[in-house]
Amino acid sequence: VLIELLRSGMDIARISDRFLTISKQEVLTNLREAMDETGIHVGIMVGLRESDLRLGYHSSNEPLILQKEDTVQIITTSIAGIEGHAIQCNNMEFPNLVVPGDHLLIDFGKIVFTVIEIRDIVKTPDPADILDYRHNGSSEDLNHHMKTSGSMSEFPIHKTDGMHKSDSFHSRPKRTKPKTAKHRSQKVVICRVEQNCTFLADKPVHIRPIGKREAPVSYANDIEDIKDATWASENDLDFLVYKQVRDEIDLADVFTVPLPNIKKYIGIQNKDSADLKESLIRSADGIVIGRGMLALETSLAEVCRMQKEIIKLCNELGKPVVISTQLLESMVHKHTPSSSEVTDVTNAVLDGCDALLLTGETAYGDNPVVALQAAQEFVLKLKGF
């Protein structure tokens, strides 16, 4: 598949830890072997804080069919001994990030849960039970169709263990902003399902807080960021994307680790980063517009306006800009894109975007090469405009 993608016009391969297959190092090795075999060399990109908040495996390890008004329990430990619909969250801080009344927008809002209660777990879990759902071997059952694929394309990978903190980590400036409360006890978050739906594992979650409460932020993955950035430097990668910038302190964090040979891109995917767009664009080597999460914090109409404004500003300042998320979403399972998807991508290209980042279409889609070829075909036709 990698060889076919390279020959079909992939320019940059983005390695993502959002999906389970093989190790990150193996993906990189396979990609470089494919480049050597074809003689086609592409840029390699890796993202930081890819899986900050995700829902994972549940008690049945099968697609979970839910009805409106059903109750689900979200926990951060082993689900053994938990009755009813139990789903794991990968972030131990999760129970401290939500309050009753908050809405959980899952998979970019396709599924909505409402938090109704937070309570202590009755059982006392064995320390060996406290695990990250991403390491559950049963992932093969749900994700057997995932392929190591990726235009700019996204490759499903697995967190690499055994990394050491770089020396730069020890000299990292102390964060001055308050962090969320530390995890002190095992809790379960009880939620109400707001529509009939089918829940699948490893879906991103966005918290829409009740009332005027600010959107909660977790810093549980700070050390993972350092590990991933160090790994990118040690393996001579080309691009690094920092996705969770919300203020000037986060912006300073982006430049904490010295990575002289890596281009640092910033993902604009929340309202705070959109408000800081000019500062971020001036500071970064390039921008990635993550439209899925941005729409959850603003609105679909606002995302259209923001995308045009960001592209225009990047063009004026001479910074590359990448459009990401749901470009050819229907091609995750179909062989052809919808006319609205083609129109959307066409307008982005005509507005002046520099690259299109296929995500689900190539990370876990049924036909990654077909999706890339479709994008390649109509984008090349636009060169005549």
Side-chain angles (χ1 to χ4, degrees), residues 269-294:
Q269 61 174 42
N270 54 58
K271 187 177 184 303
D272 295 327
S273 60
D275 291 341
L276 287 171
K277 58 181 178 293
E278 183 168 353
S279 175
L280 298 182
I281 294 169
R282 290 184 181 277
S283 302
D285 294 309
I287 294 294
V288 177
I289 304 175
R291 305 185 305 177
M293 296 303 292
L294 186 57

Side-chain angles (χ1 to χ4, degrees), residues 171-358:
S171 60
R172 192 181 192 198
K174 183 177 180 181
R175 179 181 290 275
T176 57
K177 68 168 68 175
K179 292 192 176 185
T180 51
K182 294 285 187 181
H183 170 77
R184 294 187 177 87
S185 61
Q186 303 302 323
K187 295 181 181 294
V188 57
V189 178
I190 312 297
C191 298
R192 180 179 65 246
V193 180
E194 297 299 342
Q195 81 269 52
N196 298 342
C197 59
T198 300
F199 174 84
L200 297 175
D202 197 40
K203 298 302 180 184
V205 182
H206 175 76
I207 301 171
R208 179 170 288 172
I210 186 174
K212 296 183 179 181
R213 190 169 68 89
E214 291 188 5
V217 180
S218 169
Y219 299 101
N221 289 346
D222 278 359
I223 293 178
E224 290 302 315
D225 288 347
I226 298 295
K227 290 180 179 179
D228 287 342
T230 303
W231 179 83
S233 179
E234 291 173 348
N235 285 277
D236 298 320
L237 303 194
D238 304 288
F239 306 96
L240 186 145
V241 184
Y242 196 96
K243 299 176 60 177
Q244 298 292 338
V245 175
R246 287 186 175 271
D247 53 31
E248 297 292 344
I249 296 176
D250 284 340
L251 180 58
D253 282 351
V254 174
F255 302 102
T256 296
V257 182
L259 303 169
N261 298 319
I262 298 181
K263 298 295 184 183
K264 293 185 177 182
Y265 278 50
I266 292 177
I268 295 181
Q269 61 174 42
N270 54 58
K271 187 177 184 303
D272 295 327
S273 60
D275 291 341
L276 287 171
K277 58 181 178 293
E278 183 168 353
S279 175
L280 298 182
I281 294 169
R282 290 184 181 277
S283 302
D285 294 309
I287 294 294
V288 177
I289 304 175
R291 305 185 305 177
M293 296 303 292
L294 186 57
L296 298 181
E297 291 210 1
T298 56
S299 70
L300 293 173
E302 284 186 273
V303 168
C304 296
R305 175 183 58 79
M306 290 177 182
Q307 175 175 304
K308 287 182 175 291
E309 290 178 351
I310 294 168
I311 291 175
K312 183 175 183 291
L313 190 53
C314 285
N315 290 169
E316 292 173 351
L317 296 175
K319 299 296 180 74
V321 55
V322 180
I323 305 298
S324 170
T325 316
Q326 298 174 336
L327 297 176
L328 304 177
E329 181 76 3
S330 65
M331 294 195 73
V332 170
H333 300 299
K334 296 181 179 180
H335 272 71
T336 56
S338 68
S339 57
S340 59
E341 289 169 340
V342 174
T343 300
D344 170 41
V345 173
T346 296
N347 283 325
V349 173
L350 293 178
D351 284 342
C353 82
D354 298 283
L356 303 174
L357 172 56
L358 299 180

